[in-house]
Amino acid sequence: QVQLVESGGGLVQAGGSLRLSCAASGPTRSKYAMAWFRQVSGKEREFVAAVTWISAITYTADSVKGRFTVSRDNAKNTLYLEMNSLKPEDTAVYYCAVRISTSSSYIPSDYDYWGQGTQVTVSS
């Protein structure tokens, strides 16, 4: 069982920045892909960014491309999301997810473990 704990969310003004972290613990000796999703109440969970663990190939949704950067630290089993030029429409609960696979996916149901989420609120 993999446990994921997100941190770094909060309230920020439009144009500001935040950095989210996701620490993974448990049987992390297996190689896997990690991703960030976000969800607004009443809407479906939306893919934000992902990174494969071995090759470190990153994928970013078009809606955040050029503003958000995903990265990971293998030694710390930690995933990061650097968010710049934040917009009010980025307001959501951000979730970290793990997929027990060497390849990533933009589909939420492809992921095996999820964190509890961290709220990001961007004021205009």
Side-chain angles (χ1 to χ4, degrees):
Q1 191 81 0
V2 175
Q3 292 84 42
L4 303 171
V5 178
E6 300 103 332
S7 61
L11 173 64
V12 64
Q13 288 189 331
S17 299
L18 282 174
R19 188 193 197 204
L20 304 184
S21 299
C22 174
S25 61
T28 55
R29 57 184 178 273
S30 298
K31 305 304 180 187
Y32 45 74
M34 295 187 75
W36 290 100
F37 288 81
R38 64 186 182 186
Q39 188 168 24
V40 175
S41 180
K43 295 188 176 182
E44 292 187 353
R45 197 160 291 190
E46 175 191 21
F47 171 79
V48 176
V51 59
T52 59
W53 209 252
I54 296 177
S55 57
I57 297 173
T58 61
Y59 304 89
T60 310
D62 288 343
S63 59
V64 304
K65 197 164 292 184
R67 301 187 297 121
F68 290 12
T69 302
V70 63
S71 62
R72 90 286 188 263
D73 185 328
N74 286 4
K76 296 181 178 180
N77 285 326
T78 302
L79 179 72
Y80 302 99
L81 185 67
E82 188 74 37
M83 305 186 294
N84 298 313
S85 302
L86 282 161
K87 305 175 182 180
E89 51 264 43
D90 294 319
T91 296
V93 177
Y94 283 71
Y95 296 91
C96 171
V98 161
R99 183 186 191 205
I100 307 301
S101 170
T102 55
S103 60
S104 63
S105 170
Y106 62 89
I107 302 172
S109 59
D110 285 344
Y111 287 80
D112 301 288
Y113 299 98
W114 292 85
Q116 81 289 350
T118 184
Q119 177 70 48
V120 171
T121 303
V122 184
S123 63
S124 57

